[in-house]
C-alpha cells in the first residue's frame, strides 16, 4: 500500500464512519416518529399479495411508467442506484490498492458488461430527469409547475450526486484501462475503454477517483441523514414499505380510492352506538392521531408534484395542493416529534399528558409547533388552512397519480371528521344539506312521499320490491334520480331501457333513503352510519334468502354505486352493484337492446370521478356511446384515469365555490373545445355541474349535457318523446 492509498483508505473509512453513524441515528428518528401514529392492524394482512404488489410496482415501475419518458428515465436511475451500489462497494477495495475489485463477481465479464450498460443508461436517465426538472422549474417564465412548493435544492442536489457518482464510476474504470489494470474486454466495456484512452497513465488515479466517489456518496448520506424530511432522497428506501403497507394491496391502481376507511380509534372501527368522544378518537385533531401509515405516507412523499399537477382545486386557483398538504403534515409531524417523544400530547379531553419536568428541557421550537392547531388560518398559526381542507372534491386524481401510493383522500377526510363531529366547523352552507339528510333522508329536503314521482307518465308499471319477488336487479334510484329534474330524466330513460330489454327489476320507492355519500365525504360519519345502517337493513330484507351473487343492484349515481358496492360491506351489507352504463353495455352486447338511429352532431364523454378513477369503469359508457352515436367518440384531452373533476364530489356540490375559477367552467371549456354538440355524462352531479357550466357560458342552445342512458334511448327508441334538453334548472 503506497502513501496515497494510506490517505485514501483513512479518508474513506473516516467519512463512511461518520455517514453511517448519522444514517443510523436518522433511521431511528424516523422510525420513532412513524411509531407515534395510531395502530393500523389491517395493514399486516395479505403479506404475500403485499410483497407481490410491492415488487411489481417498484421493479416494474407500473405507476411511474404512466408518465412515459420520465417513468423510463426514473427506472434506469433506480436500477442504476441498486446495481451501481456494488460499484460504490468496489471503490472501498480500490482505495486500498489500485488493482482492487469486488471479490469473485468483480472479475466476471458479465459483471463488467451489466454495470457498463446500466451505468450508461443511468447517465442518460439522470440527464433526462435533470432536464425535466429544469424545464418545469417553478421560476420559469409563464405557467404553473408541478414543482411549485417543492424544495428545489434537494432535487438538484440528489440529481447532481447521482450524476457525479456515475461519472466517477467510469473515471475509476478509465484509470484502470490507462494503467493496464482493467480486466474486462473492449466489447463488454467500450465506454470505460474510451474514457481510459483520454486519461493519463497515473498509477494512483484509481484510488484517488475511488475516494472521490466514496466522498460524494457519503456526502449524500450525511446530507440526507441531517434532513430526515428530505423525501426526494429517502423515498428510495421508504417507497418499499409504503407500497407494501398500502390500503388494498390487490388493487392494481389507486389503493386509496373507492371506499373510504372507516373511522377508527386505536385501530378499531368506531360504532356510533357505543362511541364516546371522551374515550374514543373522532377523526384527526392532532398529527399524531393519524395512523402510523399516515406518518409513513408523509415521510415518503418525493415532492414530485404529480398529484398537484392533476388536482382540480390547484388547477383552478384554490389554495389546496395535495402535495403541499402532505408536506405541511410531514414538516409539522417532524417538528412536533421531540415534544411527543418526550411524553407530550393532549388526551381526548384536551388535557396535557406530560409533566412539567418532562417538557422542561424541550426545544422552544418543538413546544411552539405543538401549540399549532392542525386546522387553522394563517393568523391562528394553523398547519392546514380551512380553505385547503374544504377545497377537496375527493376526486382521487392525487391518489391515482402518486407513484408511492400516498392516500391523500383518507387523510383529508379524517381531518374533516374531527372538524365536523367535534368542532362543528365546516362551510355553513353545507349545514342545510346535513340537516336535510338527518330529517328527510335526502340532501334536498324533498318529501319522502315524492320519491316515486319520476314514474308518473311512463307507459309501463315500475314494480316495487315487496310487490314482486322475482326481480333480477334492484334499481337503486338515488336521491338525485328521484328528486332532481335532470336526473329524473336519466332515471326514466334507464327504467324504459330495462323494460324494453325485458330485465326484471324493482325499486324500493319510499323505502330508499340517501346512501350517505355526501355525509361521509364531508366528514359526518355519524349521519353516514345512520343512513347506511338503515339502507343495509332495508336491502338485506329485500334480498332475504339470496346469496351475494344474486343480490344485484343497478345504480345510476356513481356515488351511490361506490357507497353501496364498496362501503356497505363495512356495515354488513354485501351486494353486487353495477352502474347503469355497465348493465346497458351488456344489454346492447347481448342483443337485448338495439340502437337503430345513430345520434349525430359529435359526442364527447366526461368520466365521473367515482365511476372512473374510483371504480375503474372506463370502458362500459364508451361502449354504449360507441353503439349509439354516429362516428367516433371525441375524447377530451383529460379523460379516463386523468379525467378532470366536475367540482361536485366530496360534498362540494353543497358548498359555495368562492375561490379561484369554477371547476365546472374549466371542464366545460375543455368539453366545448372538442366541438362536440353533446357532452355525455354518467352521473347526476356531473350533469348538474356541467349543465350549469354550459349555461353559464351562454351555450345552452348549442351544447347539450345528457346522460349516456338518454343518448342510448334516443338511438334505441327515436320515436320516444325525449322531454327536451337536460339543461333545465334544478327542481325540488
Ligand atoms: S382528491 Fe382531488 S381535489 Fe382532493 S386533493 Fe386530491 S386531486 Fe385535489
Ligand atoms: S404524487 Fe405522491 S410523491 Fe408526488 S408529490 Fe404528490 S404525494 Fe408526494
Amino acid at each position: 500500500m503506497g502513501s496515497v492509498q494510506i490517505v485514501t483508505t483513512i479518508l474513506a473509512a473516516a467519512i463512511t464512519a461518520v455517514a453511517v453513524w448519522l444514517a443510523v441515528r436518522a433511521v431511528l428518528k424516523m422510525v420513532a416518529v412513524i411509531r407515534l401514529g395510531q395502530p393500523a392492524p389491517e395493514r399486516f394482512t395479505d403479506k404475500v399479495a403485499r410483497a407481490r404488489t410491492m415488487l411489481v410496482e417498484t421493479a416494474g415501475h407500473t405507476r411511474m411508467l404512466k408518465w412515459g419518458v420520465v417513468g423510463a428515465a426514473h427506472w434506469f436511475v433506480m436500477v442504476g442506484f441498486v446495481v451501481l451500489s456494488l460499484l460504490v462497494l468496489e471503490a472501498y477495495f480500490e482505495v486500498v490498492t489500485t488493482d482492487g475489485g469486488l471479490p469473485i463477481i468483480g472479475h466476471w465479464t458479465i459483471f463488467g458488461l451489466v454495470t457498463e450498460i446500466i451505468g450508461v443508461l443511468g447517465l442518460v436517465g439522470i440527464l433526462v430527469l435533470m432536464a425535466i426538472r429544469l424545464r418545469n422549474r417553478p421560476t420559469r417564465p409563464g405557467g404553473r409547475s408541478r414543482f411549485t412548493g417543492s424544495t428545489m435544492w434537494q432535487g438538484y442536489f440528489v440529481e447532481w450526486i447521482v450524476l457525479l457518482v456515475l461519472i466517477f464510476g467510469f473515471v475509476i474504470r478509465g484509470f484502470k484501462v490507462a494503467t493496464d489494470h482493467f480486466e474486462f474486454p473492449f466489447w463488454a466495456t467500450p465506454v470505460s475503454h474510451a474514457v481510459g484512452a483520454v486519461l493519463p497513465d497515473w498509477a494512483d488515479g484509481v484510488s484517488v477517483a475511488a475516494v472521490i466517489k466514496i466522498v460524494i456518496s457519503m456526502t449524500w448520506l450525511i446530507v440526507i441523514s441531517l434532513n430526515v424530511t428530505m423525501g426526494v432522497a429517502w423515498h428510495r428506501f421508504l417507497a418499499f414499505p409504503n407500497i407494501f403497507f398500502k390500503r388494498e394491496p390487490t388493487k392494481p391502481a389507486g389503493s386509496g380510492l373507492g371506499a373510504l376507511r372507516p373511522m377508527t380509534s386505536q385501530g378499531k372501527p368506531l360504532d356510533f352506538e357505543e362511541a364516546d368522544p371522551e374515550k374514543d378518537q373522532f377523526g384527526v385533531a392532532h398529527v399524531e392521531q393519524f395512523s402510523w401509515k399516515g406518518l409513513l405516507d408523509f415521510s415518503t412523499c418525493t415532492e414530485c408534484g404529480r398529484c398537484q399537477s392533476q388536482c382540480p382545486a390547484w388547477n383552478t386557483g384554490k389554495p389546496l395542493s395535495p402535495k403541499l398538504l402532505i408536506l405541511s403534515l410531514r414538516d409539522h409531524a417532524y417538528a412536533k416529534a421531540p415534544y411527543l417523544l418526550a411524553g407530550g400530547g393532549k388526551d381526548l379531553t384536551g388535557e396535557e399528558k406530560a409533566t412539567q419536568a418532562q417538557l422542561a428541557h424541550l426545544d422552544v421550537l418543538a413546544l411552539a409547533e405543538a401549540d399549532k392547531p392542525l386546522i387553522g388560518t394563517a393568523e391562528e398559526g394553523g398547519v392546514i388552512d380551512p380553505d385547503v381542507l374544504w377545497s377537496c372534491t375527493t376526486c382521487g386524481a392525487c391518489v391515482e397519480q402518486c407513484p408511492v401510493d400516498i392516500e391523500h383522500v383518507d387523510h383529508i377526510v379524517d381531518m374533516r371528521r374531527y372538524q365536523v363531529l367535534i368542532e362543528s366547523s365546516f362551510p355553513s352552507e353545507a349545514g342545510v344539506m346535513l340537516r336535510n339528510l338527518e330529517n328527510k333522508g335526502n340532501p334536498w329536503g324533498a318529501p319522502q312521499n315524492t320519491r316515486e314521482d319520476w314514474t308518473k307518465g311512463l307507459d309501463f308499471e315500475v314494480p316495487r320490491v315487496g310487490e314482486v319477488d322475482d326481480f333480477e336487479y334492484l334499481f337503486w334510484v338515488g336521491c338525485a334520480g328521484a328528486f332532481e329534474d335532470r336526473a329524473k330524466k336519466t332515471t326514466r330513460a334507464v327504467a324504459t331501457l330495462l323494460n324494453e330489454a325485458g330485465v326484471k327489476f324493482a325499486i324500493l320507492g319510499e323505502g330508499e333513503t340517501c346512501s350517505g355519500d355526501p355525509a361521509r365525504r364531508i366528514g359526518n360519519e355519524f349521519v353516514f352510519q345512520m343512513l347506511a345502517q338503515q339502507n343495509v337493513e332495508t336491502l338485506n330484507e329485500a334480498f332475504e334468502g339470496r346469496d351475494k351473487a344474486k343480490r344485484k343492484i343497478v345504480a345510476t349515481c356513481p356515488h351511490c354505486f361506490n357507497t353501496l358496492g364498496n362501503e356497505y360491506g363495512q356495515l354488513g351489507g354485501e351486494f353486487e352493484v353495477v352502474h347503469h352504463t355497465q348493465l346497458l353495455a351488456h344489454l346492447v352486447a347481448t342483443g337485448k337492446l338495439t340502437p337503430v338511429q345513430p345520434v349525430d352532431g359529435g359526442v364527447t364523454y366526461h368520466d365521473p370521478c367515482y365511476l372512473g378513477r374510483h371504480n375503474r369503469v372506463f370502458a362500459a359508457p364508451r361502449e354504449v356511446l360507441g353503439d349509439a352515436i354516429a362516428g367516433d367518440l371525441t375524447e377530451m384531452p383529460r379523460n379516463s384515469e386523468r379525467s378532470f373533476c366536475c367540482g361536485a364530489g366530496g360534498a362540494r356540490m353543497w358548498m359555495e365555490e368562492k375561490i379561484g375559477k369554477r371547476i365546472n367552467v374549466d371542464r366545460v371549456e375543455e368539453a366545448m373545445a372538442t366541438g362536440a354538440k353533446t357532452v355525455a355524462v354518467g352521473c347526476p352531479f356531473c350533469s348538474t355541474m356541467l349543465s350549469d357550466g354550459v349555461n353559464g357560458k351562454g351555450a345552452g342552445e348549442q351544447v347539450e349535457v345528457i346522460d349516456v342512458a338518454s343518448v342510448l334511448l334516443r338511438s334505441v327508441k327515436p320515436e320516444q318523446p325525449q322531454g327536451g334538453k337536460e339543461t333545465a334548472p334544478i327542481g325540488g
Side-chain angles (χ1 to χ4, degrees):
M1 188 189 274
S3 56
V4 170
Q5 282 68 38
I6 292 173
V7 174
T8 53
T9 304
I10 291 172
L11 200 54
I15 195 166
T16 303
V18 173
V20 169
W21 177 69
L22 288 173
V24 170
R25 211 180 61 150
V27 170
L28 292 176
K29 181 174 176 184
M30 289 171 96
V31 171
V33 172
I34 291 164
R35 282 169 59 95
L36 287 168
Q38 300 303 305
E42 74 283 1
R43 306 283 179 166
F44 292 92
T45 57
D46 295 332
K47 292 201 181 67
V48 175
R50 287 180 183 284
R52 196 184 314 119
T53 304
M54 180 188 75
L55 285 174
V56 169
E57 279 194 27
T58 50
H61 257 44
T62 47
R63 311 294 296 273
M64 288 291 290
L65 284 171
K66 287 182 183 171
W67 290 37
V69 174
V70 69
H74 190 275
W75 188 83
F76 285 121
V77 172
M78 179 201 72
V79 173
F81 176 75
V82 175
V83 175
L84 301 181
S85 295
L86 288 174
L87 294 187
V88 175
L89 188 59
E90 188 170 57
Y92 285 93
F93 294 89
E94 290 158 343
V95 292
V96 178
T97 164
T98 52
D99 59 355
L102 275 185
I104 307 174
I105 63 164
H107 304 289
W108 296 350
T109 300
I110 188 75
F111 174 74
L113 174 68
V114 169
T115 47
E116 184 91 351
I117 292 172
I118 290 176
V120 172
L121 293 176
L123 266 177
V124 173
I126 196 65
L127 288 171
V128 169
L129 292 183
M130 290 170 96
I132 289 171
R133 190 179 296 272
L134 279 172
R135 201 186 61 205
N136 291 306
R137 67 194 183 284
T139 50
R140 82 193 192 288
R144 287 154 80 87
S145 158
R146 68 184 168 100
F147 292 118
T148 301
S150 298
T151 322
M152 292 304 281
W153 75 262
Q154 295 183 345
Y156 293 134
F157 171 76
V158 168
E159 285 167 350
W160 272 101
I161 291 283
V162 173
L163 182 68
L164 290 173
V165 167
L166 287 165
I167 288 173
F168 271 88
F170 284 111
V171 172
I172 295 169
R173 285 183 161 194
F175 274 120
K176 283 187 175 175
V177 171
T179 55
D180 220 10
H181 284 116
F182 199 52
E183 55 191 316
F184 302 126
F186 178 84
W187 66 265
T189 52
V191 177
S192 300
H193 277 86
V195 174
V198 296
L199 288 177
D201 178 6
W202 179 31
D204 294 324
V206 171
S207 298
V208 172
V211 83
I212 294 175
K213 181 170 174 157
I214 289 170
V215 168
I216 294 169
S217 303
M218 291 305 116
T219 301
W220 173 78
L221 194 54
I222 289 169
V223 170
I224 74 165
S225 300
L226 295 174
N227 292 276
V228 284
T229 56
M230 194 168 165
V232 67
W234 282 105
H235 83 275
R236 287 180 176 185
F237 310 105
L238 296 178
F240 295 94
N242 210 51
I243 295 171
F244 182 87
F245 289 114
K246 69 196 275 190
R247 183 136 71 80
E248 288 181 58
T250 51
K251 270 197 175 180
S255 68
L257 295 171
L260 272 178
R261 281 181 67 246
M263 211 165 101
T264 56
S265 178
Q266 288 297 311
K268 295 199 191 94
L270 266 191
D271 179 347
F272 276 91
E273 290 190 1
E274 297 156 10
D276 176 354
E278 296 209 343
K279 293 198 194 114
D280 296 306
Q281 180 186 316
F282 278 33
V284 166
H286 306 287
V287 74
E288 65 274 19
Q289 290 180 339
F290 286 107
S291 74
W292 62 261
K293 175 61 172 63
L295 296 176
L296 180 59
D297 270 2
F298 308 154
S299 309
T300 308
C301 177
T302 71
E303 306 194 19
C304 69
R306 287 165 179 240
C307 53
Q308 179 172 288
S309 73
Q310 308 293 308
C311 174
W314 180 256
N315 279 298
T316 53
K318 319 278 189 284
L320 165 64
S321 147
K323 175 185 76 181
L324 299 181
L325 177 127
I326 295 293
L327 299 189
S328 300
L329 293 170
R330 177 197 68 190
D331 292 346
H332 174 60
Y334 279 85
K336 188 178 177 183
Y339 158 78
L340 295 168
L341 291 168
K346 299 275 191 299
D347 66 18
L348 291 166
T349 60
E351 292 298 313
E352 176 58 59
K353 288 192 269 188
T355 61
Q356 290 226 323
Q358 280 175 301
L359 302 181
H361 303 294
L362 264 189
D363 189 298
V364 285
L365 291 177
L367 285 172
E369 195 72 28
D371 269 348
K372 287 186 179 176
L374 189 63
I375 305 298
T377 60
E379 295 75 52
E380 293 161 345
V383 178
I384 304 289
D385 193 280
D387 282 335
V388 168
L389 186 68
W390 298 109
S391 289
C392 180
T393 67
T394 69
C395 73
C398 48
V399 179
E400 171 79 35
Q401 286 301 326
C402 182
V404 291
D405 276 318
I406 288 171
E407 297 162 356
H408 315 68
V409 174
D410 285 338
H411 306 320
I412 289 170
V413 173
D414 270 339
M415 290 186 282
R416 286 184 173 187
R417 284 168 171 166
Y418 180 82
Q419 293 302 308
V420 172
L421 294 170
I422 303 297
E423 298 285 334
S424 285
S425 173
F426 52 87
S428 54
E429 61 275 16
V432 179
M433 176 270 288
L434 287 174
R435 271 195 302 281
N436 285 336
L437 285 182
E438 278 193 82
N439 300 332
K440 304 274 187 173
N442 70 82
W444 283 277
Q448 185 71 354
N449 61 9
T450 59
R451 264 203 188 264
E452 297 177 26
D453 282 3
W454 65 270
T455 61
K456 287 180 188 161
L458 288 173
D459 56 8
F460 58 92
E461 231 359 79
V462 177
R464 281 140 198 87
V465 171
E467 293 171 7
V468 287
D469 284 334
D470 63 341
F471 62 90
E472 185 184 0
Y473 283 94
L474 189 149
F475 180 14
W476 181 271
V477 174
C479 301
F483 301 122
E484 201 269 335
D485 284 348
R486 293 185 199 93
K488 278 201 267 190
K489 286 183 187 153
T490 305
T491 312
R492 290 163 66 86
V494 171
T496 305
L497 288 165
L498 295 184
N499 183 59
E500 179 78 12
V503 175
K504 290 189 172 167
F505 70 97
I507 60 169
L508 285 171
E510 292 180 28
E512 198 181 293
T513 184
C514 175
S515 67
D517 163 86
R520 193 167 222 204
R521 262 76 200 164
I522 204 171
N524 197 329
E525 190 72 3
F526 172 75
V527 172
F528 165 72
Q529 283 200 16
M530 184 185 84
L531 295 166
Q533 268 161 3
Q534 188 179 334
N535 283 325
V536 166
E537 241 170 69
T538 307
L539 289 167
N540 280 342
E541 208 175 295
F543 288 120
E544 202 171 357
R546 299 192 190 194
D547 56 29
K548 189 184 169 191
K550 294 202 169 143
R551 295 155 77 92
K552 294 190 202 169
I553 297 174
V554 57
T556 54
C557 171
H559 298 269
C560 299
F561 165 66
N562 179 62
T563 305
L564 270 63
N566 295 328
E567 298 187 339
Y568 278 10
Q570 295 168 2
L571 296 160
E574 296 288 347
F575 313 107
E576 282 294 325
V577 189
V578 293
H579 187 247
H580 69 285
T581 55
Q582 293 175 295
L583 183 53
L584 294 179
H586 170 73
L587 295 173
V588 173
T590 52
K592 304 237 171 71
L593 289 173
T594 311
V596 289
Q597 185 170 307
V599 174
D600 55 18
V603 179
T604 189
Y605 174 66
H606 163 81
D607 290 271
C609 302
Y610 274 83
L611 184 64
R613 245 186 324 261
H614 279 276
N615 284 287
R616 327 306 299 171
V617 180
F618 300 114
R622 289 178 167 79
E623 284 163 19
V624 174
L625 291 170
D627 287 321
I629 65 173
D632 292 332
L633 186 68
T634 312
E635 291 284 6
M636 285 184 256
R638 294 177 290 191
N639 66 72
S640 307
E641 288 96 339
R642 292 209 197 171
S643 178
F644 194 72
C645 181
C646 73
R652 289 282 331 164
M653 177 83 182
W654 288 275
M655 298 179 213
E656 284 173 27
E657 197 173 335
K658 297 175 194 154
I659 308 173
K661 183 181 181 184
R662 291 185 65 84
I663 295 175
N664 61 339
V665 170
D666 197 280
R667 185 56 164 170
V668 156
E669 284 169 357
E670 187 177 2
M672 287 171 61
T674 64
K677 296 276 171 277
T678 303
V679 180
V681 293
C683 169
F685 299 135
C686 297
S687 174
T688 298
M689 297 302 278
L690 299 190
S691 297
D692 289 352
V694 166
N695 290 337
K697 289 248 149 214
E701 287 305 312
Q702 295 87 47
V703 178
E704 186 179 17
V705 179
I706 183 175
D707 192 273
V708 171
S710 298
V711 177
L712 181 63
L713 183 62
R714 283 182 191 178
S715 182
V716 170
K717 295 183 84 174
E719 76 290 354
Q720 176 99 2
Q722 302 297 323
K725 292 189 171 186
E726 293 193 5
T727 44
I730 299 174

